[in-house]
Amino acid sequence: MQLATVAFDKFQHLEEQACEQRILDAKAKLGKRLVILCHHYQRADVYKYADLTGDSLKLSRLAGQTNAEYIVFCGVHFMAEVADILSRPEQIAILPDLAAGCSMADMANLAKVERAWRELTEILDPDEQVTPVTYINSAADLKAFCGEHGGIVCTSSNAGKILEWSFSRREKVLFFPDQHLGRWSGYKMGIPLEQMLVWDFDEPLGGHSVEAVKNAKMFLWKGHCSVHQMFQVQHILRFRNQYPDGLVISHPECNFEVCKQSDFVGSTEYIVRTITDAKESTRWLVGTELNLVNRLADQLKAQNKVVQFMAPTVCMCSTMARIDPQHLAWTLENLAGGKIVNQITVPAHEAELAKLALQRMLDVS
Ligand code: 13P
Ligand code: SF4
C-alpha cells in the first residue's frame, strides 16, 4: 500500500517545543535506521539533534562509513549530494529543505566550466597541462567533470595537499568556484600572486591575453562566499588595537588580506580544534559563520576563553539556516511513517565520475 506523504504546511507554524517532541519521537522510532549529520554552521536548534558533526571533509568521510538506511543531512545541497555519492546504493540521502543551497557553489556551473576548458584548449592542451580542482562546495556535475578530466575535489581542510598532488601531475590548475581558497592555498605553497589569474567566466578567455594564460600557474574562478566576504582587515586591526594579546583565526574563504592578517587560517574543524586546544583565558577573534562562533563562545566560557565574532554585522549562512526544526520534524515524521521526502539522488553516470574525483581526494588526504 502506498503511504501518503504528510504535507509540510502542517509543520510550518509548529512551536519549537512541539517540533522537539515530534523529532525525538520519530528519532526513537527510527533508531539505528537513521543518522543525522550536521555541519558546524548549522543553527543551534537543529544542531542539538545531530548524531555526527564536522566540517565538509569529516562529514564526507562519515557519510561513506555510516550504516544507517537514512542519512539526513542538515547542511546544504552539495553536502547531501556527496553523502549520496559516497554512501552505499541502498542508503538514502535526504536534505530536509531542498532550498538549502550554497550561493558560492551556484557561482560555477558545468556550461561555464566547459566553456573555460574549451577556451584553454585553443592555447594549451588542458588534459595534459591543467588539473581541474573543484572545491567540495560545487554541484555533482562539476565533480564529475573533474573526475573525467584527471582532476580532483578539495575541501578547506586539504586544499594545500590537493594542490601539491595536482601540480605533481600537471603544470597548471583551474580552481573553482572559490577564488579565495584557491589564492590562499596557492600563496601558501609559494605561487606568486601574479601567476594566479582570476578567471572571469563572463569574459572571453577569462578576461586575459593568450600570453598571460600561458604564463599563469593557477586560474582562479571568480566565485566567493558572501558570508566570508563580510570580514574585513579593519575588524582585525581594531581588535588588535584593543587586545594586543588576542588571537585571530579565519576560514580560508575570507579574502586574502584577512587571511594574511590572521594568526591562524583553516577549515571549520581546524578552527574548533585550535580554539578548544588553546591555553585557558585566551581571547579569540573568529572570521567564520556566526552559528559556529556563538557555539564556541558558549562552550569555551568554562575555560575562561573569550570567543568573538569578527564582523559587527550578522553573517550567517542563511541558506543552511533554512533547515529549521519544522523541516527536520516534517522529514523525520514522514520517514518514521514509511515515506521518503526530499531524497537527493545524483544520476548514476555523474555519480561514478564524481566519486572518482572524491576518492582521489580521500586517498590524498
Ligand atoms: P568547511 O570545509 O570548513 O566545512 O567549510 C565549508 C563551508 O561551506 C564553509 O563556508
Ligand atoms: Fe556556501 Fe558560504 Fe554557506 Fe559555506 S557559508 S555553505 S560557502 S554560502
Side-chain angles (χ1 to χ4, degrees):
M1 188 187 68
Q2 180 75 33
L3 292 163
T5 309
V6 182
F8 177 67
D9 54 16
K10 294 205 165 54
F11 288 75
Q12 201 162 334
H13 302 294
L14 271 189
E15 299 285 335
E16 203 188 322
Q17 233 180 345
C19 282
E20 169 145 10
Q21 200 48 54
R22 294 170 84 149
I23 290 170
L24 294 177
D25 289 348
K27 266 192 100 174
K29 196 163 172 196
L30 289 160
K32 287 193 170 18
R33 295 172 67 205
L34 166 76
V35 67
I36 300 179
L37 304 189
C38 279
H39 187 269
H40 287 307
Y41 293 164
Q42 195 49 257
R43 45 194 283 171
D45 55 5
V46 167
Y47 192 86
K48 64 182 181 184
Y49 301 112
D51 296 306
L52 301 166
T53 62
D55 66 358
S56 305
L57 180 63
K58 188 169 162 194
L59 290 174
S60 44
R61 282 216 175 88
L62 292 170
Q65 288 163 3
T66 167
N67 284 321
E69 188 179 335
Y70 304 123
I71 303 171
V72 172
F73 216 123
C74 299
V76 288
H77 192 269
F78 74 83
M79 298 178 185
E81 279 188 337
V82 170
D84 179 53
I85 294 165
L86 294 179
S87 58
R88 291 190 305 283
E90 66 276 16
Q91 291 178 294
I92 289 166
I94 290 166
L95 185 67
D97 184 347
L98 295 178
C102 164
S103 53
M104 176 213 280
D106 294 341
M107 289 178 192
N109 63 43
L110 188 59
K112 288 185 174 175
V113 169
E114 283 181 338
R115 177 177 150 198
W117 203 251
R118 268 197 312 277
E119 290 180 326
L120 288 172
T121 310
E122 287 163 21
I123 301 172
L124 311 159
D125 180 356
D127 279 296
E128 290 290 323
Q129 291 176 283
V130 185
T131 308
V133 179
T134 187
Y135 189 19
I136 196 162
N137 297 37
S138 58
D141 57 0
L142 291 181
K143 296 183 176 84
F145 176 91
C146 290
E148 191 172 6
H149 291 277
I152 191 162
V153 178
C154 78
T155 73
S156 53
S157 290
N158 58 21
K161 275 191 196 157
I162 298 298
L163 283 187
E164 276 169 30
W165 179 91
S166 305
F167 282 117
S168 73
R169 297 159 71 91
R170 298 178 188 171
E171 69 198 65
K172 298 177 196 290
V173 160
L174 171 62
F175 192 98
F176 45 87
D178 185 21
Q179 59 170 301
H180 299 288
L181 176 66
R183 185 179 294 106
W184 181 250
S185 311
Y187 170 77
K188 291 299 280 180
M189 68 186 294
I191 299 175
L193 290 177
E194 54 286 3
Q195 284 195 292
M196 296 194 253
L197 303 184
V198 175
W199 191 274
D200 184 343
F201 42 81
D202 287 326
E203 295 288 331
L205 210 54
H208 302 287
S209 66
V210 170
E211 216 37 44
V213 168
K214 282 186 181 162
N215 290 331
K217 289 291 286 173
M218 283 181 83
F219 307 110
L220 306 174
W221 200 258
K222 198 179 173 188
H224 63 267
C225 165
S226 35
V227 178
H228 287 85
Q229 293 332 287
M230 302 297 281
F231 305 118
Q232 298 297 327
V233 169
Q234 77 222 38
H235 303 145
I236 301 182
L237 298 181
R238 204 177 305 142
F239 174 80
R240 294 221 191 271
N241 199 21
Q242 225 177 337
Y243 307 105
D245 294 334
L247 294 159
V248 180
I249 189 163
S250 304
H251 194 279
E253 286 175 17
C254 293
N255 74 49
F256 182 69
E257 286 308 320
V258 166
C259 292
K260 246 179 113 182
Q261 294 285 338
S262 299
D263 299 299
F264 305 91
V265 179
S267 75
T268 52
E269 192 71 21
Y270 171 86
I271 291 172
V272 171
R273 209 173 345 107
T274 306
I275 307 183
T276 307
D277 295 348
K279 281 201 292 225
E280 287 210 355
S281 311
T282 39
R283 179 182 283 272
W284 293 84
L285 186 72
V286 188
T288 198
E289 204 266 356
L290 186 61
N291 283 300
L292 171 56
V293 180
N294 283 345
R295 189 174 313 120
L296 281 172
D298 209 42
Q299 286 169 353
L300 298 175
K301 254 194 283 194
Q303 295 178 23
N304 217 13
K305 288 176 190 164
V306 180
V307 179
Q308 246 175 268
F309 188 57
M310 192 177 283
T313 47
V314 171
C315 316
M316 270 175 47
C317 180
S318 55
T319 43
M320 200 181 294
R322 296 186 78 111
I323 298 185
D324 53 17
Q326 289 74 14
H327 281 89
L328 186 59
W330 170 71
T331 304
L332 298 189
E333 213 162 273
N334 272 294
L335 287 179
K339 193 77 198 169
I340 295 161
V341 289
N342 287 7
Q343 180 173 2
I344 303 297
T345 312
V346 178
H349 175 65
E350 203 171 289
E352 197 183 312
L353 287 168
K355 193 171 182 172
L356 195 64
L358 280 161
Q359 197 54 53
R360 286 181 189 135
M361 170 188 84
L362 294 172
D363 293 345
V364 172
S365 46

